[in-house]
Amino acid sequence: PVYQVWMVILAIIGLIALSENLIPSKISSLAFPSVLNAYFPPTFVVIAFAAIIIGAMIPAAIQALSAANLITRNIYLEYFNRRANERRQVLIGRIFVFVMIVASLIFVLTPAASGLIFYLLTMSYAWLLQTLPAIILSMYWHKLDKYSVGAGWLVGVAFTTYGLFTVNFSSSLLPWLSYMYVGIAGLIFNLIVLFIVHAFVRLLKVRYTSGIMPAEFTDFDEAFAGVKEWRKDDFRAGKE
């Protein structure tokens, strides 16, 4: 919630910058610094700029580390060198951290790309939304198979990409679909294909193994019940 409030504040500051023509060269990323520079004393501006730099470096470093770790563990270690030792993985991770930081700097320092950050954020949410059935449904629907999930995800991502292509990747709302958010539209097609493919899988009696079996939940419940009983006995002993 705090993050959303801060986004609203940034949007208001951006409107102020637009109304007062404070954005140099129409670079949207300079809206907030321009407002600070125009309306606040120099001492406060210096402190605020330093805070902006520090505030940008921390999440950038975390995201660079996360992306490098993702590439190292899930791509390099999985498909290129499964026998890589820990030292090798650390080296590859450091290389990709440097690559991610350089790529981010190139993107940020390119004036043409500065206005696309918001659209890229909404696009990433639209694609990420297509993983919702695989994560949420599989937790409660134990007979869900990998074929239906994979087919639904593929169709959802394909439709989302096509929808973004029709608007030249300049918006996440589809004018030809009553301005529906492209992620929601893709999720609808995702679920439709998921249920259809799952029906065919059940009809054709395709053999598959579920990721989480109900027996595993039963074992967990029994173990957790034992922990709860132990806590009750411990509480009674302490009370006595």
PDB file of all heavy atoms in Angstrom, residues 131-160:
ATOM      1  N   THR A 131       1.150 -16.741 -15.258  1.00  0.00           N
ATOM      2  CA  THR A 131       1.595 -17.841 -14.392  1.00  0.00           C
ATOM      3  C   THR A 131       0.641 -18.078 -13.227  1.00  0.00           C
ATOM      4  O   THR A 131       0.862 -19.003 -12.440  1.00  0.00           O
ATOM      5  CB  THR A 131       2.998 -17.542 -13.835  1.00  0.00           C
ATOM      6  OG1 THR A 131       2.946 -16.362 -13.013  1.00  0.00           O
ATOM      7  CG2 THR A 131       3.996 -17.322 -14.964  1.00  0.00           C
ATOM      8  N   LEU A 132      -0.388 -17.255 -13.125  1.00  0.00           N
ATOM      9  CA  LEU A 132      -1.315 -17.371 -11.993  1.00  0.00           C
ATOM     10  C   LEU A 132      -2.006 -18.735 -11.929  1.00  0.00           C
ATOM     11  O   LEU A 132      -2.084 -19.329 -10.847  1.00  0.00           O
ATOM     12  CB  LEU A 132      -2.341 -16.240 -12.062  1.00  0.00           C
ATOM     13  CG  LEU A 132      -3.191 -16.008 -10.814  1.00  0.00           C
ATOM     14  CD1 LEU A 132      -2.312 -15.584  -9.652  1.00  0.00           C
ATOM     15  CD2 LEU A 132      -4.255 -14.948 -11.080  1.00  0.00           C
ATOM     16  N   PRO A 133      -2.533 -19.278 -13.043  1.00  0.00           N
ATOM     17  CA  PRO A 133      -3.171 -20.603 -12.946  1.00  0.00           C
ATOM     18  C   PRO A 133      -2.214 -21.692 -12.476  1.00  0.00           C
ATOM     19  O   PRO A 133      -2.597 -22.558 -11.680  1.00  0.00           O
ATOM     20  CB  PRO A 133      -3.655 -20.863 -14.382  1.00  0.00           C
ATOM     21  CG  PRO A 133      -3.807 -19.512 -14.983  1.00  0.00           C
ATOM     22  CD  PRO A 133      -2.711 -18.687 -14.385  1.00  0.00           C
ATOM     23  N   ALA A 134      -0.977 -21.651 -12.965  1.00  0.00           N
ATOM     24  CA  ALA A 134      -0.017 -22.682 -12.575  1.00  0.00           C
ATOM     25  C   ALA A 134       0.312 -22.608 -11.090  1.00  0.00           C
ATOM     26  O   ALA A 134       0.560 -23.636 -10.450  1.00  0.00           O
ATOM     27  CB  ALA A 134       1.259 -22.543 -13.405  1.00  0.00           C
ATOM     28  N   ILE A 135       0.299 -21.414 -10.528  1.00  0.00           N
ATOM     29  CA  ILE A 135       0.676 -21.256  -9.119  1.00  0.00           C
ATOM     30  C   ILE A 135      -0.520 -21.444  -8.196  1.00  0.00           C
ATOM     31  O   ILE A 135      -0.455 -22.199  -7.219  1.00  0.00           O
ATOM     32  CB  ILE A 135       1.317 -19.869  -8.898  1.00  0.00           C
ATOM     33  CG1 ILE A 135       2.602 -19.748  -9.725  1.00  0.00           C
ATOM     34  CG2 ILE A 135       1.613 -19.641  -7.424  1.00  0.00           C
ATOM     35  CD1 ILE A 135       3.218 -18.373  -9.699  1.00  0.00           C
ATOM     36  N   ILE A 136      -1.618 -20.769  -8.504  1.00  0.00           N
ATOM     37  CA  ILE A 136      -2.767 -20.770  -7.598  1.00  0.00           C
ATOM     38  C   ILE A 136      -3.612 -22.031  -7.765  1.00  0.00           C
ATOM     39  O   ILE A 136      -3.937 -22.712  -6.784  1.00  0.00           O
ATOM     40  CB  ILE A 136      -3.628 -19.514  -7.823  1.00  0.00           C
ATOM     41  CG1 ILE A 136      -2.786 -18.253  -7.606  1.00  0.00           C
ATOM     42  CG2 ILE A 136      -4.831 -19.525  -6.888  1.00  0.00           C
ATOM     43  CD1 ILE A 136      -2.203 -18.122  -6.227  1.00  0.00           C
ATOM     44  N   LEU A 137      -3.979 -22.368  -9.007  1.00  0.00           N
ATOM     45  CA  LEU A 137      -4.857 -23.521  -9.212  1.00  0.00           C
ATOM     46  C   LEU A 137      -4.205 -24.821  -8.759  1.00  0.00           C
ATOM     47  O   LEU A 137      -4.875 -25.705  -8.227  1.00  0.00           O
ATOM     48  CB  LEU A 137      -5.248 -23.617 -10.688  1.00  0.00           C
ATOM     49  CG  LEU A 137      -6.268 -22.593 -11.198  1.00  0.00           C
ATOM     50  CD1 LEU A 137      -6.594 -22.856 -12.658  1.00  0.00           C
ATOM     51  CD2 LEU A 137      -7.541 -22.636 -10.368  1.00  0.00           C
ATOM     52  N   SER A 138      -2.897 -24.942  -8.988  1.00  0.00           N
ATOM     53  CA  SER A 138      -2.224 -26.189  -8.608  1.00  0.00           C
ATOM     54  C   SER A 138      -2.189 -26.398  -7.100  1.00  0.00           C
ATOM     55  O   SER A 138      -1.995 -27.523  -6.634  1.00  0.00           O
ATOM     56  CB  SER A 138      -0.796 -26.192  -9.158  1.00  0.00           C
ATOM     57  OG  SER A 138      -0.059 -25.101  -8.641  1.00  0.00           O
ATOM     58  N   MET A 139      -2.381 -25.335  -6.337  1.00  0.00           N
ATOM     59  CA  MET A 139      -2.395 -25.472  -4.882  1.00  0.00           C
ATOM     60  C   MET A 139      -3.690 -26.095  -4.379  1.00  0.00           C
ATOM     61  O   MET A 139      -3.706 -26.745  -3.324  1.00  0.00           O
ATOM     62  CB  MET A 139      -2.191 -24.096  -4.235  1.00  0.00           C
ATOM     63  CG  MET A 139      -0.828 -23.484  -4.490  1.00  0.00           C
ATOM     64  SD  MET A 139      -0.690 -21.810  -3.828  1.00  0.00           S
ATOM     65  CE  MET A 139      -0.963 -22.099  -2.086  1.00  0.00           C
ATOM     66  N   TYR A 140      -4.772 -25.908  -5.120  1.00  0.00           N
ATOM     67  CA  TYR A 140      -6.081 -26.387  -4.666  1.00  0.00           C
ATOM     68  C   TYR A 140      -6.664 -27.474  -5.571  1.00  0.00           C
ATOM     69  O   TYR A 140      -7.564 -28.190  -5.159  1.00  0.00           O
ATOM     70  CB  TYR A 140      -7.061 -25.209  -4.601  1.00  0.00           C
ATOM     71  CG  TYR A 140      -6.597 -24.110  -3.676  1.00  0.00           C
ATOM     72  CD1 TYR A 140      -5.965 -22.979  -4.178  1.00  0.00           C
ATOM     73  CD2 TYR A 140      -6.777 -24.209  -2.300  1.00  0.00           C
ATOM     74  CE1 TYR A 140      -5.530 -21.967  -3.330  1.00  0.00           C
ATOM     75  CE2 TYR A 140      -6.347 -23.211  -1.445  1.00  0.00           C
ATOM     76  CZ  TYR A 140      -5.729 -22.093  -1.965  1.00  0.00           C
ATOM     77  OH  TYR A 140      -5.293 -21.100  -1.124  1.00  0.00           O
ATOM     78  N   TRP A 141      -6.174 -27.548  -6.801  1.00  0.00           N
ATOM     79  CA  TRP A 141      -6.677 -28.532  -7.757  1.00  0.00           C
ATOM     80  C   TRP A 141      -5.549 -29.526  -8.024  1.00  0.00           C
ATOM     81  O   TRP A 141      -4.726 -29.343  -8.903  1.00  0.00           O
ATOM     82  CB  TRP A 141      -7.109 -27.827  -9.037  1.00  0.00           C
ATOM     83  CG  TRP A 141      -7.825 -28.704 -10.009  1.00  0.00           C
ATOM     84  CD1 TRP A 141      -8.210 -29.991  -9.841  1.00  0.00           C
ATOM     85  CD2 TRP A 141      -8.240 -28.326 -11.326  1.00  0.00           C
ATOM     86  NE1 TRP A 141      -8.838 -30.461 -10.951  1.00  0.00           N
ATOM     87  CE2 TRP A 141      -8.874 -29.455 -11.884  1.00  0.00           C
ATOM     88  CE3 TRP A 141      -8.146 -27.162 -12.074  1.00  0.00           C
ATOM     89  CZ2 TRP A 141      -9.399 -29.445 -13.165  1.00  0.00           C
ATOM     90  CZ3 TRP A 141      -8.667 -27.148 -13.346  1.00  0.00           C
ATOM     91  CH2 TRP A 141      -9.296 -28.275 -13.888  1.00  0.00           C
ATOM     92  N   HIS A 142      -5.525 -30.607  -7.241  1.00  0.00           N
ATOM     93  CA  HIS A 142      -4.395 -31.528  -7.274  1.00  0.00           C
ATOM     94  C   HIS A 142      -4.371 -32.409  -8.518  1.00  0.00           C
ATOM     95  O   HIS A 142      -3.345 -33.019  -8.819  1.00  0.00           O
ATOM     96  CB  HIS A 142      -4.404 -32.412  -6.023  1.00  0.00           C
ATOM     97  CG  HIS A 142      -4.441 -31.629  -4.752  1.00  0.00           C
ATOM     98  ND1 HIS A 142      -3.558 -30.609  -4.491  1.00  0.00           N
ATOM     99  CD2 HIS A 142      -5.267 -31.693  -3.671  1.00  0.00           C
ATOM    100  CE1 HIS A 142      -3.822 -30.085  -3.303  1.00  0.00           C
ATOM    101  NE2 HIS A 142      -4.861 -30.719  -2.791  1.00  0.00           N
ATOM    102  N   LYS A 143      -5.480 -32.495  -9.235  1.00  0.00           N
ATOM    103  CA  LYS A 143      -5.524 -33.300 -10.450  1.00  0.00           C
ATOM    104  C   LYS A 143      -5.168 -32.496 -11.697  1.00  0.00           C
ATOM    105  O   LYS A 143      -5.275 -33.000 -12.813  1.00  0.00           O
ATOM    106  CB  LYS A 143      -6.915 -33.918 -10.617  1.00  0.00           C
ATOM    107  CG  LYS A 143      -7.257 -34.944  -9.543  1.00  0.00           C
ATOM    108  CD  LYS A 143      -8.602 -35.583  -9.806  1.00  0.00           C
ATOM    109  CE  LYS A 143      -8.926 -36.633  -8.736  1.00  0.00           C
ATOM    110  NZ  LYS A 143     -10.236 -37.281  -8.980  1.00  0.00           N
ATOM    111  N   LEU A 144      -4.751 -31.278 -11.499  1.00  0.00           N
ATOM    112  CA  LEU A 144      -4.362 -30.440 -12.634  1.00  0.00           C
ATOM    113  C   LEU A 144      -3.080 -30.988 -13.257  1.00  0.00           C
ATOM    114  O   LEU A 144      -2.118 -31.288 -12.555  1.00  0.00           O
ATOM    115  CB  LEU A 144      -4.144 -29.003 -12.166  1.00  0.00           C
ATOM    116  CG  LEU A 144      -3.935 -27.943 -13.242  1.00  0.00           C
ATOM    117  CD1 LEU A 144      -5.163 -27.830 -14.130  1.00  0.00           C
ATOM    118  CD2 LEU A 144      -3.639 -26.599 -12.605  1.00  0.00           C
ATOM    119  N   ASP A 145      -3.077 -31.138 -14.577  1.00  0.00           N
ATOM    120  CA  ASP A 145      -1.938 -31.752 -15.258  1.00  0.00           C
ATOM    121  C   ASP A 145      -1.057 -30.690 -15.906  1.00  0.00           C
ATOM    122  O   ASP A 145      -1.476 -29.549 -16.121  1.00  0.00           O
ATOM    123  CB  ASP A 145      -2.427 -32.732 -16.326  1.00  0.00           C
ATOM    124  CG  ASP A 145      -3.267 -32.032 -17.372  1.00  0.00           C
ATOM    125  OD1 ASP A 145      -4.463 -31.781 -17.088  1.00  0.00           O
ATOM    126  OD2 ASP A 145      -2.747 -31.710 -18.451  1.00  0.00           O
ATOM    127  N   LYS A 146       0.157 -31.094 -16.202  1.00  0.00           N
ATOM    128  CA  LYS A 146       1.138 -30.161 -16.755  1.00  0.00           C
ATOM    129  C   LYS A 146       0.822 -29.770 -18.190  1.00  0.00           C
ATOM    130  O   LYS A 146       1.210 -28.686 -18.641  1.00  0.00           O
ATOM    131  CB  LYS A 146       2.533 -30.780 -16.689  1.00  0.00           C
ATOM    132  CG  LYS A 146       2.674 -32.088 -17.458  1.00  0.00           C
ATOM    133  CD  LYS A 146       4.061 -32.677 -17.284  1.00  0.00           C
ATOM    134  CE  LYS A 146       4.202 -33.999 -18.032  1.00  0.00           C
ATOM    135  NZ  LYS A 146       5.553 -34.593 -17.846  1.00  0.00           N
ATOM    136  N   TYR A 147       0.117 -30.627 -18.922  1.00  0.00           N
ATOM    137  CA  TYR A 147      -0.191 -30.318 -20.317  1.00  0.00           C
ATOM    138  C   TYR A 147      -1.171 -29.151 -20.424  1.00  0.00           C
ATOM    139  O   TYR A 147      -0.986 -28.239 -21.234  1.00  0.00           O
ATOM    140  CB  TYR A 147      -0.764 -31.556 -21.013  1.00  0.00           C
ATOM    141  CG  TYR A 147       0.108 -32.776 -20.890  1.00  0.00           C
ATOM    142  CD1 TYR A 147      -0.237 -33.812 -20.025  1.00  0.00           C
ATOM    143  CD2 TYR A 147       1.292 -32.884 -21.622  1.00  0.00           C
ATOM    144  CE1 TYR A 147       0.569 -34.934 -19.904  1.00  0.00           C
ATOM    145  CE2 TYR A 147       2.105 -34.005 -21.499  1.00  0.00           C
ATOM    146  CZ  TYR A 147       1.738 -35.023 -20.640  1.00  0.00           C
ATOM    147  OH  TYR A 147       2.538 -36.128 -20.509  1.00  0.00           O
ATOM    148  N   SER A 148      -2.198 -29.176 -19.607  1.00  0.00           N
ATOM    149  CA  SER A 148      -3.181 -28.094 -19.656  1.00  0.00           C
ATOM    150  C   SER A 148      -2.587 -26.786 -19.144  1.00  0.00           C
ATOM    151  O   SER A 148      -2.841 -25.716 -19.705  1.00  0.00           O
ATOM    152  CB  SER A 148      -4.413 -28.474 -18.832  1.00  0.00           C
ATOM    153  OG  SER A 148      -4.052 -28.784 -17.500  1.00  0.00           O
ATOM    154  N   VAL A 149      -1.782 -26.874 -18.094  1.00  0.00           N
ATOM    155  CA  VAL A 149      -1.142 -25.663 -17.564  1.00  0.00           C
ATOM    156  C   VAL A 149      -0.190 -25.066 -18.595  1.00  0.00           C
ATOM    157  O   VAL A 149      -0.187 -23.854 -18.839  1.00  0.00           O
ATOM    158  CB  VAL A 149      -0.397 -25.982 -16.255  1.00  0.00           C
ATOM    159  CG1 VAL A 149       0.443 -24.792 -15.813  1.00  0.00           C
ATOM    160  CG2 VAL A 149      -1.382 -26.350 -15.162  1.00  0.00           C
ATOM    161  N   GLY A 150       0.610 -25.928 -19.225  1.00  0.00           N
ATOM    162  CA  GLY A 150       1.556 -25.446 -20.230  1.00  0.00           C
ATOM    163  C   GLY A 150       0.865 -24.853 -21.444  1.00  0.00           C
ATOM    164  O   GLY A 150       1.267 -23.801 -21.952  1.00  0.00           O
ATOM    165  N   ALA A 151      -0.199 -25.512 -21.908  1.00  0.00           N
ATOM    166  CA  ALA A 151      -0.929 -24.999 -23.070  1.00  0.00           C
ATOM    167  C   ALA A 151      -1.604 -23.671 -22.745  1.00  0.00           C
ATOM    168  O   ALA A 151      -1.574 -22.730 -23.546  1.00  0.00           O
ATOM    169  CB  ALA A 151      -1.957 -26.029 -23.528  1.00  0.00           C
ATOM    170  N   GLY A 152      -2.213 -23.585 -21.568  1.00  0.00           N
ATOM    171  CA  GLY A 152      -2.853 -22.338 -21.174  1.00  0.00           C
ATOM    172  C   GLY A 152      -1.858 -21.203 -21.045  1.00  0.00           C
ATOM    173  O   GLY A 152      -2.112 -20.074 -21.500  1.00  0.00           O
ATOM    174  N   TRP A 153      -0.716 -21.504 -20.435  1.00  0.00           N
ATOM    175  CA  TRP A 153       0.322 -20.474 -20.294  1.00  0.00           C
ATOM    176  C   TRP A 153       0.822 -20.007 -21.655  1.00  0.00           C
ATOM    177  O   TRP A 153       1.001 -18.802 -21.886  1.00  0.00           O
ATOM    178  CB  TRP A 153       1.487 -21.034 -19.484  1.00  0.00           C
ATOM    179  CG  TRP A 153       2.663 -20.106 -19.417  1.00  0.00           C
ATOM    180  CD1 TRP A 153       2.847 -19.073 -18.554  1.00  0.00           C
ATOM    181  CD2 TRP A 153       3.816 -20.126 -20.272  1.00  0.00           C
ATOM    182  NE1 TRP A 153       4.044 -18.443 -18.816  1.00  0.00           N
ATOM    183  CE2 TRP A 153       4.655 -19.067 -19.863  1.00  0.00           C
ATOM    184  CE3 TRP A 153       4.208 -20.938 -21.337  1.00  0.00           C
ATOM    185  CZ2 TRP A 153       5.866 -18.803 -20.487  1.00  0.00           C
ATOM    186  CZ3 TRP A 153       5.417 -20.668 -21.961  1.00  0.00           C
ATOM    187  CH2 TRP A 153       6.230 -19.611 -21.528  1.00  0.00           C
ATOM    188  N   LEU A 154       1.033 -20.947 -22.567  1.00  0.00           N
ATOM    189  CA  LEU A 154       1.535 -20.593 -23.896  1.00  0.00           C
ATOM    190  C   LEU A 154       0.541 -19.709 -24.643  1.00  0.00           C
ATOM    191  O   LEU A 154       0.923 -18.690 -25.241  1.00  0.00           O
ATOM    192  CB  LEU A 154       1.817 -21.869 -24.689  1.00  0.00           C
ATOM    193  CG  LEU A 154       2.460 -21.685 -26.066  1.00  0.00           C
ATOM    194  CD1 LEU A 154       3.833 -21.042 -25.923  1.00  0.00           C
ATOM    195  CD2 LEU A 154       2.582 -23.032 -26.777  1.00  0.00           C
ATOM    196  N   VAL A 155      -0.731 -20.068 -24.592  1.00  0.00           N
ATOM    197  CA  VAL A 155      -1.754 -19.264 -25.270  1.00  0.00           C
ATOM    198  C   VAL A 155      -1.887 -17.896 -24.608  1.00  0.00           C
ATOM    199  O   VAL A 155      -2.014 -16.870 -25.287  1.00  0.00           O
ATOM    200  CB  VAL A 155      -3.101 -20.012 -25.265  1.00  0.00           C
ATOM    201  CG1 VAL A 155      -4.223 -19.109 -25.770  1.00  0.00           C
ATOM    202  CG2 VAL A 155      -3.015 -21.260 -26.133  1.00  0.00           C
ATOM    203  N   GLY A 156      -1.841 -17.862 -23.281  1.00  0.00           N
ATOM    204  CA  GLY A 156      -1.945 -16.585 -22.582  1.00  0.00           C
ATOM    205  C   GLY A 156      -0.807 -15.642 -22.919  1.00  0.00           C
ATOM    206  O   GLY A 156      -1.024 -14.453 -23.186  1.00  0.00           O
ATOM    207  N   VAL A 157       0.410 -16.160 -22.924  1.00  0.00           N
ATOM    208  CA  VAL A 157       1.568 -15.331 -23.266  1.00  0.00           C
ATOM    209  C   VAL A 157       1.505 -14.892 -24.726  1.00  0.00           C
ATOM    210  O   VAL A 157       1.805 -13.734 -25.062  1.00  0.00           O
ATOM    211  CB  VAL A 157       2.874 -16.102 -22.981  1.00  0.00           C
ATOM    212  CG1 VAL A 157       4.079 -15.353 -23.544  1.00  0.00           C
ATOM    213  CG2 VAL A 157       3.047 -16.310 -21.483  1.00  0.00           C
ATOM    214  N   ALA A 158       1.101 -15.816 -25.612  1.00  0.00           N
ATOM    215  CA  ALA A 158       1.011 -15.473 -27.033  1.00  0.00           C
ATOM    216  C   ALA A 158      -0.041 -14.392 -27.273  1.00  0.00           C
ATOM    217  O   ALA A 158       0.197 -13.432 -28.018  1.00  0.00           O
ATOM    218  CB  ALA A 158       0.685 -16.724 -27.848  1.00  0.00           C
ATOM    219  N   PHE A 159      -1.198 -14.526 -26.633  1.00  0.00           N
ATOM    220  CA  PHE A 159      -2.245 -13.516 -26.809  1.00  0.00           C
ATOM    221  C   PHE A 159      -1.815 -12.176 -26.217  1.00  0.00           C
ATOM    222  O   PHE A 159      -2.073 -11.117 -26.805  1.00  0.00           O
ATOM    223  CB  PHE A 159      -3.546 -13.981 -26.157  1.00  0.00           C
ATOM    224  CG  PHE A 159      -4.668 -12.991 -26.304  1.00  0.00           C
ATOM    225  CD1 PHE A 159      -5.450 -12.981 -27.446  1.00  0.00           C
ATOM    226  CD2 PHE A 159      -4.931 -12.061 -25.309  1.00  0.00           C
ATOM    227  CE1 PHE A 159      -6.477 -12.056 -27.596  1.00  0.00           C
ATOM    228  CE2 PHE A 159      -5.949 -11.136 -25.447  1.00  0.00           C
ATOM    229  CZ  PHE A 159      -6.728 -11.135 -26.598  1.00  0.00           C
ATOM    230  N   THR A 160      -1.167 -12.213 -25.062  1.00  0.00           N
ATOM    231  CA  THR A 160      -0.689 -10.974 -24.445  1.00  0.00           C
ATOM    232  C   THR A 160       0.316 -10.273 -25.347  1.00  0.00           C
ATOM    233  O   THR A 160       0.249  -9.050 -25.550  1.00  0.00           O
ATOM    234  CB  THR A 160      -0.049 -11.283 -23.084  1.00  0.00           C
ATOM    235  OG1 THR A 160      -1.015 -11.917 -22.238  1.00  0.00           O
ATOM    236  CG2 THR A 160       0.439 -10.010 -22.420  1.00  0.00           C
TER     237      THR A 160
END
